[in-house]
Short mmCIF file of all heavy atoms in Angstrom, two decimals:
data_model
loop_
_atom_site.label_atom_id
_atom_site.label_comp_id
_atom_site.label_asym_id
_atom_site.label_seq_id
_atom_site.Cartn_x
_atom_site.Cartn_y
_atom_site.Cartn_z
N MET M 2 -1.49 101.13 -17.36
CA MET M 2 -2.69 101.08 -18.18
C MET M 2 -3.75 102.01 -17.55
O MET M 2 -3.79 102.21 -16.38
CB MET M 2 -3.32 99.63 -18.17
CG MET M 2 -4.27 99.35 -19.28
SD MET M 2 -5.18 97.90 -19.10
CE MET M 2 -3.96 96.65 -19.49
N ASN M 3 -4.57 102.51 -18.43
CA ASN M 3 -5.67 103.39 -17.99
C ASN M 3 -6.52 102.74 -16.95
O ASN M 3 -6.72 101.54 -16.99
CB ASN M 3 -6.40 103.74 -19.34
CG ASN M 3 -7.82 104.21 -19.11
OD1 ASN M 3 -8.71 103.48 -18.86
ND2 ASN M 3 -7.85 105.59 -19.18
N LYS M 5 -9.81 102.73 -16.38
CA LYS M 5 -10.96 102.09 -16.89
C LYS M 5 -10.65 100.77 -17.38
O LYS M 5 -11.32 99.76 -17.15
CB LYS M 5 -11.60 102.96 -18.04
CG LYS M 5 -12.57 104.02 -17.62
CD LYS M 5 -13.33 104.55 -18.88
CE LYS M 5 -13.38 106.02 -18.85
NZ LYS M 5 -13.95 106.50 -20.09
N LEU M 6 -9.58 100.68 -18.22
CA LEU M 6 -9.26 99.35 -18.83
C LEU M 6 -8.73 98.43 -17.70
O LEU M 6 -9.02 97.26 -17.72
CB LEU M 6 -8.10 99.54 -19.80
CG LEU M 6 -8.53 100.10 -21.14
CD1 LEU M 6 -7.44 100.47 -22.08
CD2 LEU M 6 -9.48 99.13 -21.84
N LYS M 8 -9.77 98.39 -14.66
CA LYS M 8 -11.00 97.84 -14.06
C LYS M 8 -11.63 96.73 -14.84
O LYS M 8 -12.02 95.70 -14.35
CB LYS M 8 -11.98 99.05 -13.80
CG LYS M 8 -13.27 98.66 -13.19
CD LYS M 8 -14.08 99.89 -12.86
CE LYS M 8 -15.42 99.53 -12.31
NZ LYS M 8 -16.60 99.98 -13.12
N MET M 9 -11.75 97.00 -16.15
CA MET M 9 -12.40 95.98 -17.02
C MET M 9 -11.55 94.78 -17.05
O MET M 9 -12.11 93.59 -17.08
CB MET M 9 -12.45 96.62 -18.43
CG MET M 9 -13.60 97.60 -18.68
SD MET M 9 -13.78 97.84 -20.37
CE MET M 9 -13.42 99.63 -20.45
N ARG M 10 -10.27 94.90 -17.04
CA ARG M 10 -9.37 93.76 -17.07
C ARG M 10 -9.58 92.84 -15.86
O ARG M 10 -9.69 91.65 -15.87
CB ARG M 10 -7.95 94.19 -17.14
CG ARG M 10 -6.97 93.06 -17.39
CD ARG M 10 -5.59 93.49 -17.15
NE ARG M 10 -4.73 92.33 -17.04
CZ ARG M 10 -3.85 91.91 -18.01
NH1 ARG M 10 -3.81 92.53 -19.12
NH2 ARG M 10 -3.09 90.88 -17.79
N GLU M 12 -12.29 92.69 -14.05
CA GLU M 12 -13.62 92.01 -14.16
C GLU M 12 -13.46 90.87 -15.10
O GLU M 12 -14.01 89.79 -14.93
CB GLU M 12 -14.64 92.96 -14.63
CG GLU M 12 -15.08 93.98 -13.64
CD GLU M 12 -16.15 94.93 -14.20
OE1 GLU M 12 -17.22 94.43 -14.63
OE2 GLU M 12 -15.84 96.15 -14.30
N TYR M 13 -12.73 91.06 -16.15
CA TYR M 13 -12.58 89.98 -17.20
C TYR M 13 -11.92 88.76 -16.58
O TYR M 13 -12.31 87.64 -16.85
CB TYR M 13 -11.75 90.53 -18.33
CG TYR M 13 -11.46 89.59 -19.45
CD1 TYR M 13 -12.44 89.32 -20.41
CD2 TYR M 13 -10.28 88.97 -19.60
CE1 TYR M 13 -12.19 88.52 -21.45
CE2 TYR M 13 -9.97 88.14 -20.66
CZ TYR M 13 -10.93 87.86 -21.57
OH TYR M 13 -10.73 87.03 -22.66
N MET M 14 -10.89 88.97 -15.81
CA MET M 14 -10.23 87.84 -15.18
C MET M 14 -10.99 87.15 -14.20
O MET M 14 -10.71 85.96 -13.84
CB MET M 14 -8.89 88.34 -14.53
CG MET M 14 -7.84 88.82 -15.49
SD MET M 14 -7.54 87.48 -16.75
CE MET M 14 -6.25 88.28 -17.70
N ILE M 16 -14.01 86.17 -14.74
CA ILE M 16 -14.98 85.32 -15.44
C ILE M 16 -14.43 83.92 -15.47
O ILE M 16 -13.42 83.62 -16.09
CB ILE M 16 -15.16 85.78 -16.88
CG1 ILE M 16 -15.77 87.22 -16.95
CG2 ILE M 16 -16.02 84.82 -17.68
CD1 ILE M 16 -15.84 87.86 -18.31
N LYS M 17 -15.15 82.98 -14.78
CA LYS M 17 -14.63 81.65 -14.63
C LYS M 17 -15.73 80.63 -15.04
O LYS M 17 -16.85 80.84 -14.78
CB LYS M 17 -14.24 81.37 -13.18
CG LYS M 17 -13.03 82.22 -12.81
CD LYS M 17 -12.06 81.46 -11.90
CE LYS M 17 -10.74 82.20 -11.78
NZ LYS M 17 -10.81 83.52 -11.12
N PRO M 18 -15.32 79.59 -15.69
CA PRO M 18 -16.28 78.49 -16.04
C PRO M 18 -16.62 77.66 -14.89
O PRO M 18 -16.03 77.73 -13.82
CB PRO M 18 -15.50 77.72 -17.15
CG PRO M 18 -14.10 77.78 -16.73
CD PRO M 18 -13.96 79.16 -16.08
N SER M 19 -17.63 76.75 -15.07
CA SER M 19 -18.00 75.82 -14.03
C SER M 19 -17.02 74.65 -14.10
O SER M 19 -16.18 74.52 -15.03
CB SER M 19 -19.41 75.32 -14.27
OG SER M 19 -19.41 74.43 -15.44
N LYS M 23 -14.11 71.73 -17.66
CA LYS M 23 -12.88 70.90 -17.64
C LYS M 23 -13.19 69.43 -17.94
O LYS M 23 -12.55 68.84 -18.72
CB LYS M 23 -12.16 71.03 -16.36
CG LYS M 23 -10.76 70.53 -16.24
CD LYS M 23 -9.95 71.24 -15.20
CE LYS M 23 -8.64 70.50 -14.83
NZ LYS M 23 -8.86 69.33 -13.96
N SER M 25 -15.86 68.21 -19.53
CA SER M 25 -16.32 67.97 -20.87
C SER M 25 -15.21 68.08 -21.85
O SER M 25 -15.09 67.28 -22.76
CB SER M 25 -17.45 68.89 -21.23
OG SER M 25 -17.13 70.23 -21.07
N ILE M 26 -14.22 68.98 -21.59
CA ILE M 26 -13.10 69.01 -22.49
C ILE M 26 -12.24 67.82 -22.46
O ILE M 26 -11.82 67.20 -23.50
CB ILE M 26 -12.26 70.27 -22.29
CG1 ILE M 26 -13.05 71.50 -22.47
CG2 ILE M 26 -10.99 70.31 -23.13
CD1 ILE M 26 -13.45 71.79 -23.89
N ILE M 29 -13.88 65.11 -24.41
CA ILE M 29 -13.72 65.29 -25.80
C ILE M 29 -12.33 64.89 -26.28
O ILE M 29 -12.21 64.15 -27.27
CB ILE M 29 -13.95 66.74 -26.29
CG1 ILE M 29 -15.41 67.22 -25.97
CG2 ILE M 29 -13.56 67.04 -27.67
CD1 ILE M 29 -15.72 68.71 -26.25
N LEU M 30 -11.33 65.24 -25.46
CA LEU M 30 -9.95 64.82 -25.87
C LEU M 30 -9.85 63.36 -25.88
O LEU M 30 -9.12 62.74 -26.66
CB LEU M 30 -9.01 65.54 -24.93
CG LEU M 30 -8.88 67.05 -25.10
CD1 LEU M 30 -7.86 67.59 -24.10
CD2 LEU M 30 -8.54 67.46 -26.52
N ASN M 33 -11.55 61.73 -28.68
CA ASN M 33 -10.91 62.01 -29.97
C ASN M 33 -9.81 61.02 -30.26
O ASN M 33 -9.50 60.74 -31.44
CB ASN M 33 -10.31 63.41 -29.89
CG ASN M 33 -9.81 63.85 -31.27
OD1 ASN M 33 -10.57 63.94 -32.23
ND2 ASN M 33 -8.51 64.05 -31.39
N LYS M 34 -9.26 60.40 -29.25
CA LYS M 34 -8.22 59.40 -29.49
C LYS M 34 -8.75 58.21 -30.26
O LYS M 34 -7.97 57.49 -30.91
CB LYS M 34 -7.58 59.00 -28.18
CG LYS M 34 -7.05 60.10 -27.27
CD LYS M 34 -5.70 59.82 -26.76
CE LYS M 34 -5.33 60.81 -25.62
NZ LYS M 34 -4.83 62.11 -26.22
N ASP M 132 -37.59 78.05 -38.03
CA ASP M 132 -36.22 78.11 -37.66
C ASP M 132 -35.43 77.21 -38.64
O ASP M 132 -34.26 77.59 -39.10
CB ASP M 132 -36.01 77.51 -36.26
CG ASP M 132 -36.43 78.50 -35.16
OD1 ASP M 132 -36.60 79.72 -35.57
OD2 ASP M 132 -36.57 78.09 -33.99
N GLN M 139 -29.12 79.88 -44.19
CA GLN M 139 -27.85 80.37 -43.80
C GLN M 139 -26.74 79.33 -43.85
O GLN M 139 -25.57 79.68 -44.16
CB GLN M 139 -27.96 80.78 -42.30
CG GLN M 139 -28.68 82.11 -42.15
CD GLN M 139 -28.65 82.52 -40.70
OE1 GLN M 139 -27.69 82.38 -40.04
NE2 GLN M 139 -29.74 83.19 -40.26
N VAL M 173 -31.36 72.76 -28.95
CA VAL M 173 -30.37 73.68 -29.60
C VAL M 173 -29.30 73.96 -28.56
O VAL M 173 -29.65 74.39 -27.46
CB VAL M 173 -31.04 74.92 -30.03
CG1 VAL M 173 -30.02 75.90 -30.62
CG2 VAL M 173 -32.10 74.59 -31.08
N GLY M 174 -28.11 73.77 -28.92
CA GLY M 174 -27.05 74.17 -27.92
C GLY M 174 -27.18 73.39 -26.63
O GLY M 174 -27.43 72.11 -26.64
N SER M 175 -27.22 74.05 -25.49
CA SER M 175 -27.38 73.32 -24.23
C SER M 175 -28.88 73.10 -24.01
O SER M 175 -29.70 73.98 -24.08
CB SER M 175 -26.90 74.15 -23.05
OG SER M 175 -27.26 75.54 -23.26
N TYR M 262 -32.94 74.04 -15.37
CA TYR M 262 -32.21 75.31 -15.19
C TYR M 262 -33.01 76.30 -14.32
O TYR M 262 -32.56 77.38 -14.15
CB TYR M 262 -31.87 76.03 -16.48
CG TYR M 262 -30.99 75.32 -17.39
CD1 TYR M 262 -31.40 74.91 -18.66
CD2 TYR M 262 -29.70 74.95 -16.96
CE1 TYR M 262 -30.55 74.15 -19.48
CE2 TYR M 262 -28.83 74.15 -17.79
CZ TYR M 262 -29.32 73.85 -19.05
OH TYR M 262 -28.52 73.10 -19.92
N GLN P 29 -1.83 67.59 -33.08
CA GLN P 29 -2.96 67.22 -32.15
C GLN P 29 -2.42 67.33 -30.74
O GLN P 29 -3.18 67.91 -29.84
CB GLN P 29 -3.41 65.87 -32.48
CG GLN P 29 -4.58 65.43 -31.55
CD GLN P 29 -5.20 64.12 -31.97
OE1 GLN P 29 -5.52 63.94 -33.15
NE2 GLN P 29 -5.46 63.25 -31.10
N GLU P 33 -3.77 69.77 -27.71
CA GLU P 33 -4.34 69.26 -26.48
C GLU P 33 -3.59 69.93 -25.32
O GLU P 33 -4.26 70.34 -24.34
CB GLU P 33 -4.08 67.69 -26.38
CG GLU P 33 -5.07 66.97 -27.26
CD GLU P 33 -4.85 65.43 -27.29
OE1 GLU P 33 -4.07 64.97 -26.51
OE2 GLU P 33 -5.45 64.72 -28.11
N ASN P 41 -9.27 78.38 -19.30
CA ASN P 41 -9.94 79.55 -18.78
C ASN P 41 -9.96 80.77 -19.73
O ASN P 41 -10.99 81.47 -19.81
CB ASN P 41 -9.36 79.90 -17.39
CG ASN P 41 -9.85 78.90 -16.34
OD1 ASN P 41 -10.71 78.06 -16.60
ND2 ASN P 41 -9.31 79.11 -15.10
N TYR P 44 -12.38 80.25 -22.40
CA TYR P 44 -13.78 80.40 -21.88
C TYR P 44 -14.13 81.93 -21.70
O TYR P 44 -15.22 82.34 -22.06
CB TYR P 44 -13.89 79.75 -20.50
CG TYR P 44 -15.15 80.09 -19.80
CD1 TYR P 44 -16.38 79.49 -20.15
CD2 TYR P 44 -15.20 81.04 -18.78
CE1 TYR P 44 -17.54 79.78 -19.52
CE2 TYR P 44 -16.36 81.35 -18.16
CZ TYR P 44 -17.58 80.72 -18.54
OH TYR P 44 -18.71 81.05 -17.90
N ARG P 45 -13.21 82.68 -21.15
CA ARG P 45 -13.45 84.14 -20.87
C ARG P 45 -13.72 84.80 -22.25
O ARG P 45 -14.57 85.69 -22.35
CB ARG P 45 -12.21 84.80 -20.30
CG ARG P 45 -12.07 84.51 -18.80
CD ARG P 45 -10.99 85.48 -18.24
NE ARG P 45 -9.60 85.12 -18.85
CZ ARG P 45 -8.64 84.44 -18.14
NH1 ARG P 45 -8.89 84.05 -16.94
NH2 ARG P 45 -7.49 84.26 -18.70
N PHE P 46 -12.94 84.39 -23.21
CA PHE P 46 -13.08 85.04 -24.47
C PHE P 46 -14.42 84.70 -25.14
O PHE P 46 -15.08 85.60 -25.62
CB PHE P 46 -11.93 84.54 -25.43
CG PHE P 46 -11.87 85.32 -26.68
CD1 PHE P 46 -11.60 86.65 -26.71
CD2 PHE P 46 -12.02 84.69 -27.89
CE1 PHE P 46 -11.51 87.41 -27.91
CE2 PHE P 46 -11.95 85.40 -29.06
CZ PHE P 46 -11.75 86.75 -29.11
N THR P 49 -17.24 86.75 -23.68
CA THR P 49 -17.47 88.17 -24.07
C THR P 49 -18.44 88.17 -25.24
O THR P 49 -19.06 89.20 -25.60
CB THR P 49 -16.15 88.89 -24.48
OG1 THR P 49 -15.52 88.22 -25.61
CG2 THR P 49 -15.17 89.00 -23.34
N GLN P 54 -22.84 81.80 -18.96
CA GLN P 54 -21.96 80.72 -18.73
C GLN P 54 -22.23 79.48 -19.57
O GLN P 54 -21.31 78.92 -20.21
CB GLN P 54 -22.04 80.30 -17.27
CG GLN P 54 -20.97 79.28 -16.87
CD GLN P 54 -20.98 78.87 -15.45
OE1 GLN P 54 -22.01 78.29 -14.98
NE2 GLN P 54 -19.92 79.11 -14.68
N GLU P 58 -19.63 77.91 -22.40
CA GLU P 58 -19.10 76.58 -22.21
C GLU P 58 -19.42 75.73 -23.52
O GLU P 58 -18.51 74.98 -23.96
CB GLU P 58 -19.63 75.96 -20.95
CG GLU P 58 -19.05 76.56 -19.78
CD GLU P 58 -19.42 75.83 -18.48
OE1 GLU P 58 -20.06 74.73 -18.54
OE2 GLU P 58 -19.04 76.31 -17.34
N ASP P 59 -20.59 75.87 -24.03
CA ASP P 59 -20.95 75.17 -25.31
C ASP P 59 -20.02 75.67 -26.36
O ASP P 59 -19.58 74.78 -27.17
CB ASP P 59 -22.36 75.48 -25.62
CG ASP P 59 -23.38 74.62 -24.96
OD1 ASP P 59 -22.93 73.69 -24.19
OD2 ASP P 59 -24.58 74.99 -24.91
N ASN P 62 -16.67 74.04 -26.01
CA ASN P 62 -16.69 72.64 -26.40
C ASN P 62 -16.75 72.45 -27.88
O ASN P 62 -16.00 71.68 -28.46
CB ASN P 62 -17.97 72.03 -25.80
CG ASN P 62 -17.84 71.61 -24.33
OD1 ASN P 62 -16.78 71.11 -23.96
ND2 ASN P 62 -18.90 71.84 -23.56
N VAL P 65 -13.40 73.32 -29.46
CA VAL P 65 -12.37 72.24 -29.35
C VAL P 65 -12.67 71.11 -30.25
O VAL P 65 -11.70 70.64 -30.95
CB VAL P 65 -12.43 71.74 -27.86
CG1 VAL P 65 -11.57 70.41 -27.74
CG2 VAL P 65 -11.88 72.75 -26.92
N LYS P 98 -26.03 83.30 -33.66
CA LYS P 98 -26.97 83.47 -34.79
C LYS P 98 -27.93 82.32 -34.76
O LYS P 98 -29.17 82.53 -34.95
CB LYS P 98 -26.23 83.28 -36.19
CG LYS P 98 -25.78 84.62 -36.67
CD LYS P 98 -25.48 84.51 -38.21
CE LYS P 98 -24.53 85.61 -38.64
NZ LYS P 98 -23.68 85.22 -39.77
N ASN P 100 -28.92 80.50 -32.12
CA ASN P 100 -29.78 80.48 -30.96
C ASN P 100 -30.71 81.69 -30.87
O ASN P 100 -31.64 81.68 -30.28
CB ASN P 100 -28.92 80.44 -29.70
CG ASN P 100 -28.33 79.05 -29.45
OD1 ASN P 100 -28.50 78.21 -30.34
ND2 ASN P 100 -27.69 78.89 -28.33
N LYS P 101 -30.32 82.79 -31.60
CA LYS P 101 -31.08 83.96 -31.68
C LYS P 101 -31.67 84.27 -30.31
O LYS P 101 -32.88 84.62 -30.12
CB LYS P 101 -32.32 83.74 -32.58
CG LYS P 101 -31.97 83.71 -34.05
CD LYS P 101 -33.21 83.73 -34.97
CE LYS P 101 -33.79 82.40 -35.09
NZ LYS P 101 -34.70 82.34 -36.25
N ASP P 123 -17.81 105.51 -15.23
CA ASP P 123 -17.97 104.36 -14.43
C ASP P 123 -18.17 103.07 -15.31
O ASP P 123 -18.70 102.09 -14.78
CB ASP P 123 -19.23 104.49 -13.54
CG ASP P 123 -18.93 105.42 -12.34
OD1 ASP P 123 -17.82 105.32 -11.85
OD2 ASP P 123 -19.75 106.25 -12.03
N LEU P 126 -16.98 96.19 -17.46
CA LEU P 126 -16.76 95.23 -18.48
C LEU P 126 -18.05 94.94 -19.26
O LEU P 126 -18.08 94.88 -20.44
CB LEU P 126 -16.16 94.00 -17.93
CG LEU P 126 -15.92 92.80 -18.94
CD1 LEU P 126 -14.80 93.27 -19.87
CD2 LEU P 126 -15.56 91.53 -18.19
N MET P 129 -19.15 97.58 -21.60
CA MET P 129 -18.17 97.54 -22.76
C MET P 129 -18.54 96.54 -23.71
O MET P 129 -18.68 96.77 -24.91
CB MET P 129 -16.75 97.37 -22.24
CG MET P 129 -15.67 97.52 -23.28
SD MET P 129 -15.26 96.02 -24.16
CE MET P 129 -13.94 95.37 -23.14
N VAL P 142 -10.39 93.22 -26.21
CA VAL P 142 -10.17 92.10 -25.29
C VAL P 142 -8.83 91.48 -25.51
O VAL P 142 -8.09 91.24 -24.55
CB VAL P 142 -11.32 91.02 -25.43
CG1 VAL P 142 -11.03 89.77 -24.69
CG2 VAL P 142 -12.67 91.62 -24.98
N TYR P 145 -5.87 94.19 -24.49
CA TYR P 145 -5.68 94.64 -23.10
C TYR P 145 -5.88 93.52 -22.02
O TYR P 145 -5.52 93.69 -20.93
CB TYR P 145 -6.57 95.83 -22.80
CG TYR P 145 -6.22 97.00 -23.67
CD1 TYR P 145 -7.03 97.51 -24.61
CD2 TYR P 145 -4.98 97.54 -23.57
CE1 TYR P 145 -6.75 98.56 -25.33
CE2 TYR P 145 -4.55 98.62 -24.36
CZ TYR P 145 -5.42 99.13 -25.26
OH TYR P 145 -5.08 100.16 -26.05
N PHE P 146 -6.68 92.48 -22.39
CA PHE P 146 -6.97 91.44 -21.41
C PHE P 146 -6.18 90.22 -21.64
O PHE P 146 -5.80 89.43 -20.78
CB PHE P 146 -8.39 91.16 -21.28
CG PHE P 146 -9.28 92.32 -21.12
CD1 PHE P 146 -10.63 92.31 -21.49
CD2 PHE P 146 -8.79 93.52 -20.59
CE1 PHE P 146 -11.48 93.41 -21.36
CE2 PHE P 146 -9.64 94.60 -20.42
CZ PHE P 146 -10.97 94.60 -20.86
N GLU P 147 -5.93 89.87 -22.89
CA GLU P 147 -5.18 88.69 -23.24
C GLU P 147 -3.76 89.04 -23.62
O GLU P 147 -3.00 88.15 -24.09
CB GLU P 147 -5.89 87.86 -24.40
CG GLU P 147 -7.23 87.32 -23.88
CD GLU P 147 -7.19 86.23 -22.88
OE1 GLU P 147 -6.09 85.69 -22.63
OE2 GLU P 147 -8.27 85.85 -22.41
N ASP P 148 -3.43 90.30 -23.65
CA ASP P 148 -2.00 90.73 -23.89
C ASP P 148 -1.47 90.29 -25.23
O ASP P 148 -0.25 89.95 -25.30
CB ASP P 148 -1.14 90.24 -22.78
CG ASP P 148 -1.55 90.85 -21.48
OD1 ASP P 148 -1.94 91.97 -21.38
OD2 ASP P 148 -1.50 90.07 -20.42
N LEU P 176 -15.47 104.09 -26.20
CA LEU P 176 -15.43 103.85 -24.75
C LEU P 176 -14.97 105.09 -23.98
O LEU P 176 -14.89 105.09 -22.80
CB LEU P 176 -14.48 102.71 -24.41
CG LEU P 176 -14.87 101.38 -24.94
CD1 LEU P 176 -13.78 100.30 -24.65
CD2 LEU P 176 -16.20 100.87 -24.39
N ARG P 177 -14.70 106.17 -24.72
CA ARG P 177 -14.27 107.52 -24.14
C ARG P 177 -12.93 107.35 -23.41
O ARG P 177 -12.78 107.86 -22.30
CB ARG P 177 -15.34 108.07 -23.26
CG ARG P 177 -16.70 108.17 -23.72
CD ARG P 177 -16.93 109.38 -24.57
NE ARG P 177 -18.19 109.84 -24.56
CZ ARG P 177 -19.28 109.43 -25.21
NH1 ARG P 177 -19.11 108.37 -25.93
NH2 ARG P 177 -20.47 109.92 -24.99
N GLU P 182 -3.31 107.93 -22.93
CA GLU P 182 -3.19 107.22 -21.58
C GLU P 182 -2.75 105.76 -21.74
O GLU P 182 -2.16 105.22 -20.91
CB GLU P 182 -4.49 107.22 -20.79
CG GLU P 182 -4.95 108.58 -20.36
CD GLU P 182 -6.32 108.50 -19.69
OE1 GLU P 182 -6.51 107.56 -18.91
OE2 GLU P 182 -7.11 109.42 -19.91
N VAL P 183 -3.16 105.19 -22.88
CA VAL P 183 -2.92 103.70 -23.03
C VAL P 183 -1.76 103.32 -23.83
O VAL P 183 -1.15 102.25 -23.71
CB VAL P 183 -4.26 102.97 -23.41
CG1 VAL P 183 -5.28 103.14 -22.45
CG2 VAL P 183 -4.69 103.51 -24.78
#
Side-chain angles (χ1 to χ4, degrees):
Chain M
M2 197 194 286
N3 162 276
K5 271 192 224 173
L6 284 172
K8 176 174 176 239
M9 285 193 241
R10 188 195 165 103
E12 285 178 64
Y13 180 78
M14 288 307 180
I16 298 172
K17 294 216 165 66
S19 72
K23 190 153 165 278
S25 55
I26 297 294
I29 293 174
L30 293 180
N33 188 61
K34 304 225 193 280
D132 284 346
Q139 287 186 33
V173 176
S175 41
Y262 299 118
Chain P
Q29 181 172 313
E33 286 178 9
N41 283 354
Y44 171 79
R45 283 190 294 257
F46 189 63
T49 61
Q54 185 181 64
E58 292 189 2
D59 279 348
N62 279 321
V65 169
K98 272 198 199 151
N100 287 7
K101 288 191 276 197
D123 284 320
L126 181 66
M129 187 269 270
V142 171
Y145 297 115
F146 309 157
E147 297 288 351
D148 301 320
L176 298 177
R177 311 276 211 281
E182 291 176 42
V183 294

